[in-house]
Amino acid sequence: MQGLVLATCDRALGPSGAAPEWVHLLPDGKMTGRDGRSFELADPQGLVLAFQSGGIDLPIDYEHQNDKPEARLSGPVPAAGWIKELKADESGLWGRVEWTATAREMISRKEYRYLSPSFLFHPKTRQIVRLKGAGLVHNPNLHLTALASQETDMPPESPQKPAPSQKPAPDDLGPALAKLLGLPPEASPKDLLAKLVERLTGEPDPAKFMPVAAVQKMLSSRRAEMAEVNDGRAKEKVRAAVQAGYITRGMQDWALALCRSDEASFDEFLTGVGPTFAHFSQRPSVSGRTAPDRFGHAAQSESETEAAICSQLGLKPGTLASS
């Protein structure tokens, strides 16, 4: 059996291939399309009664243009025929069609061979609740009778639309979620939910994730190590500065605080001040000057120191020596 819609087999089209008056619209019971979607015709007679109470013929168009908003906006959507009557039997739902002349000619030339019904279904039970019409198509979805074109998604409507939180997920979300969770594509919603709960409440893989507490502890330990290293370096630089005469012992606390908070500023201060107090801890050489210190500066002689002090106090050079 092929996925024919105008009839269940080619012989039903007649020797001349004429368009049939009665067409098989839906098979009875559960059905699954080529795209994997499943539906159920649980109450064929209910669809017949709904059609009769509506009081209007149902349209048959080309390629479901009537179900595509962009097609309706671009211009008229011509009908290929009208469903005038419905009946139900053990094989499903049938419709009596009044074809247009154009559609009859296209069907007779086999330019269209399949009919695909358009309908509304309940989003949870997937049961078909109302027939909207049908469309002549080239690619039917069902293997026995076409349900919808493979490229056309029927709107998930129902007589009473569910609340936004109750809307069903897209048909392709299940397999995609299963792949993400490492489950087979056919995993049931129950298995998907269980795996999600396990991922959200279980212990993370230690090979891929590190607990936040461990990261915080590691960062805290690293900061403590760096602070200890910086403190030791600051103490060593201040000690060397005292020994070289750049600062006095009374300036050590201030210098240590500066070096800890802004080492670059401390280095800049040493460069600018020079070994001003070197004569307090170093003896001059035979030439009257000491050797260069570890910072690359030569210590000042006593006379140079005296001249510097006189200059800062506004005194004439030699005043201190003569007093």
Side-chain angles (χ1 to χ4, degrees):
M1 298 288 288
Q2 299 181 0
L4 304 181
V5 197
L6 298 177
T8 55
C9 63
D10 284 340
R11 291 195 306 273
L13 294 176
S16 62
E21 181 181 10
W22 285 91
V23 295
H24 192 193
L25 294 170
L26 290 166
D28 189 31
K30 294 184 178 180
M31 61 198 80
T32 301
R34 290 184 176 88
D35 60 4
R37 292 181 296 172
S38 297
F39 304 96
E40 182 180 7
L41 181 59
D43 185 13
Q45 194 60 43
L47 270 66
V48 175
L49 294 176
F51 168 77
Q52 293 173 348
S53 64
I56 60 173
D57 298 337
L58 300 180
I60 297 178
D61 60 16
Y62 299 93
E63 301 293 347
H64 285 299
Q65 295 183 56
N66 192 45
D67 293 316
K68 301 175 181 178
E70 65 276 11
R72 295 197 301 269
L73 292 175
S74 63
V77 178
W82 297 91
I83 299 176
K84 310 287 288 186
E85 182 182 351
L86 291 180
K87 69 177 182 180
D89 59 18
E90 66 278 358
S91 63
L93 188 68
W94 292 77
R96 183 173 66 84
V97 181
E98 183 179 283
W99 299 101
T100 65
T102 300
R104 284 182 178 276
E105 185 176 353
M106 296 179 74
I107 293 171
S108 67
R109 294 199 301 261
K110 293 190 177 182
E111 293 176 1
Y112 273 104
R113 296 178 57 201
Y114 305 106
L115 190 70
S116 168
S118 174
F119 53 82
L120 302 178
F121 62 91
H122 194 282
K124 290 186 177 180
T125 63
R126 313 292 289 184
Q127 291 183 358
I128 300 172
V129 296
R130 183 163 65 88
L131 184 69
K132 292 179 59 181
L136 287 173
V137 298
H138 296 304
N139 298 301
N141 190 21
L142 287 185
H143 295 276
L144 295 179
T145 55
L147 176 64
S149 299
Q150 288 177 300
E151 69 275 13
T152 303
D153 284 327
M154 294 294 103
E157 305 176 25
S158 66
Q160 183 176 3
K161 292 185 179 181
S165 60
Q166 297 175 331
K167 286 184 178 180
D171 291 336
D172 58 349
L173 180 59
L177 183 59
K179 182 178 180 181
L180 183 64
L181 296 174
L183 296 175
E186 62 274 10
S188 66
K190 183 178 179 180
D191 293 337
L192 292 175
L193 180 60
K195 194 66 175 180
L196 277 174
V197 172
E198 179 184 342
R199 287 286 184 89
L200 294 175
T201 60
E203 292 293 331
D205 185 354
K208 298 180 179 178
F209 304 99
M210 179 180 290
V212 175
V215 174
Q216 293 175 338
K217 184 177 180 180
M218 179 184 68
L219 293 176
S220 178
S221 176
R222 178 61 177 169
R223 284 193 294 267
E225 291 177 359
M226 292 300 298
E228 184 177 352
V229 171
N230 292 339
D231 186 68
R233 186 169 62 249
K235 289 180 179 179
E236 176 60 25
K237 295 187 76 169
V238 170
R239 184 188 65 79
V242 171
Q243 289 183 349
Y246 283 74
I247 59 175
T248 65
R249 295 188 181 278
M251 300 169 65
Q252 284 186 105
D253 292 342
W254 165 84
L256 187 58
L258 175 62
C259 191
R260 285 171 174 168
S261 61
D262 192 346
E263 187 174 348
S265 295
F266 179 73
D267 292 340
E268 185 178 354
F269 167 77
L270 295 183
T271 301
V273 73
T276 305
F277 307 100
H279 62 282
F280 291 156
S281 58
Q282 298 179 359
R283 294 181 179 179
S285 63
V286 176
S287 62
R289 299 182 61 88
T290 57
D293 58 22
R294 58 173 296 181
F295 297 100
H297 296 81
Q300 294 176 314
S301 65
E302 292 183 3
S303 59
E304 290 174 332
T305 302
E306 179 182 346
I309 294 175
C310 288
S311 175
Q312 292 181 9
L313 296 177
L315 302 176
K316 293 181 179 180
T319 302
L320 295 178
S322 60
S323 60

